[in-house]
Amino acid sequence: MPPYGAGTQGVAVPGAPPYAGAPVHGGPWHGAGVPPYAPVYAGPPQWGPPAPPPPRRRGLGVLAASAVAATVALAALVASVVIVTTTPRPEPTPTGENLAAHYDDRLSEPPAQVVIDIADHPLYDAATPQDVACDVPELDTASDDSWQEFATATGHCLDELWAPVFDDLGLSADTPEITVTRESPDSGDEEGYTLAYYESDFERITVVLPNVRTLGEQIPAQAHEDVWIALMGHEYGHHVQYVTGILDISHDLRRKSSSEEEELDTLRRTELQAECMAGIGLRAITGSDERSLRWVNENFNGGGDLPTHGTATNRAHWLEQGWSDATVGGCNTYDAAPGEVT
């Protein structure tokens, strides 16, 4: 069987002016052209009761006067509104105590940076999560839909398994997306090929179908389910690293590495820790059946040495650590001796 190689954080197999209306014209003298009281000679005077004055004419003059009165009233109303709205309000009289006494300048300071030590992390004090009742569907390796169902169901079981650990640490974890693909991320220059990978930016686990099928041809039928549970457990291990902050620190250490060997050392510690967490998941889902551990190490970790994922011997060692240790501290590869992470 060819050695299996790795992709980015995966299990690999070695080998974006307003108009104011019309003006008002005229006045009360409009009419026939002569004021109504102009003198007119009509013969000798007549004695008797004086004749009543002629009736006043009503017309446009009255309407014009009404319009003027309305305009004046409206202007007065507007003026009163302006006076009300522009009159400054008196300053309120202070009452009660000075609230400034309750201010704390420390609240305006930025929070202190949280430092994560990946070799001395609270995660390692957590008890190894216990077995879960997991109904893994039967896998037809030739069917894309069957693979999606199997991977999704296994991912949900791993969610349930790790949830108490996250709760104890006070961490909120989203369920990672589980997907399958027919496209391989490998360029052909790697020593092996990628079986699955985890993308922290999307919190997504992807199984690479053509590659798992290639390896599957070399695995006995009775070992298939256990091997692929271990594969999912490894990728979920990277999700645990992401949720706890370990994965981000690992990426930073690799970017700041002064040499290729130093970068590879950090990468191997990251991958071997995920393999240890695969052991935790494998034991929990399979009910501690020792045959499952043996089949996975024989058919999954026995394929050869990889500079990115460690030797076959060390991969088997860390899988067994996760399977058997009472605390997650058994997976502390960042504090392990160099010989255990080569």
Side-chain angles (χ1 to χ4, degrees):
M1 182 179 72
Y4 43 132
T8 302
Q9 299 304 341
V11 171
V13 177
Y19 178 66
V24 179
H25 297 287
W29 305 112
H30 279 194
V34 181
Y37 301 120
V40 177
Y41 182 72
Q46 301 292 322
W47 304 106
R56 296 181 61 115
R57 297 205 226 160
R58 304 176 65 85
L60 292 176
V62 175
L63 295 177
S66 298
V68 171
T71 302
V72 172
L74 179 60
L77 176 60
V78 172
S80 66
V81 172
V82 171
I83 290 173
V84 170
T85 58
T86 59
T87 301
R89 297 182 178 180
E91 290 292 331
T93 302
T95 59
E97 61 181 325
N98 182 7
L99 296 179
H102 298 282
Y103 295 160
D104 189 339
D105 292 338
R106 291 174 299 176
L107 297 177
S108 62
E109 298 175 358
Q113 184 176 4
V114 176
V115 178
I116 299 175
D117 186 345
I118 58 177
D120 185 20
H121 195 286
L123 172 66
Y124 305 140
D125 296 327
T128 300
Q130 299 302 306
D131 296 357
V132 292
C134 184
D135 185 15
V136 179
E138 184 176 350
L139 175 62
D140 175 3
T141 58
S143 166
D144 293 8
D145 290 341
S146 180
W147 253 112
Q148 180 69 66
E149 291 173 6
F150 176 87
T152 300
T154 305
H156 288 167
C157 292
L158 292 166
D159 259 343
E160 182 181 349
L161 176 67
W162 285 99
V165 176
F166 294 147
D167 289 342
D168 288 346
L169 293 173
L171 299 174
S172 176
D174 293 328
T175 298
E177 178 186 357
I178 309 292
T179 187
V180 299
T181 182
R182 289 185 175 187
E183 298 181 5
S184 173
D186 302 327
S187 64
D189 297 332
E190 297 86 355
E191 294 185 25
Y193 47 91
T194 303
L195 297 175
Y197 54 90
Y198 176 76
E199 298 168 278
S200 58
D201 288 348
F202 305 102
E203 296 185 57
R204 180 167 62 205
I205 295 171
T206 301
V207 177
V208 183
L209 294 181
N211 293 351
V212 295
R213 284 168 178 156
T214 297
L215 178 61
E217 293 173 357
Q218 306 172 50
I219 298 176
Q222 71 269 22
H224 271 224
E225 183 176 299
D226 294 325
V227 168
W228 303 134
I229 288 174
L231 172 67
M232 292 299 299
H234 179 107
E235 297 310 326
Y236 200 97
H238 288 311
H239 182 62
V240 174
Q241 291 172 326
Y242 171 71
V243 173
T244 57
I246 291 174
L247 192 59
D248 286 341
I249 299 300
S250 172
H251 288 331
D252 287 342
L253 289 174
R254 289 172 57 194
R255 281 193 294 266
K256 296 174 183 177
S257 297
S258 58
S259 66
E260 181 180 3
E261 183 50 44
E262 183 180 341
E263 180 181 1
L264 282 173
D265 178 75
T266 300
L267 178 56
R268 283 194 300 271
R269 292 176 187 270
T270 303
E271 292 296 341
L272 289 169
Q273 183 174 81
E275 188 62 13
C276 183
M277 292 176 178
I280 294 175
L282 180 65
R283 191 215 71 250
I285 293 176
T286 62
S288 304
D289 187 339
E290 291 283 348
R291 292 176 302 174
S292 298
L293 178 63
R294 185 175 67 253
W295 284 339
V296 172
N297 271 335
E298 289 176 356
N299 298 282
F300 191 62
N301 285 328
D305 301 341
L306 289 167
T308 55
H309 286 62
T311 64
T313 299
N314 282 336
R315 293 198 304 272
H317 164 73
W318 287 106
L319 185 77
E320 292 171 9
Q321 278 286 105
W323 177 281
S324 60
D325 208 282
T327 69
V328 183
C331 295
N332 188 1
T333 57
Y334 296 101
D335 196 36
E340 295 179 314
V341 291
T342 55

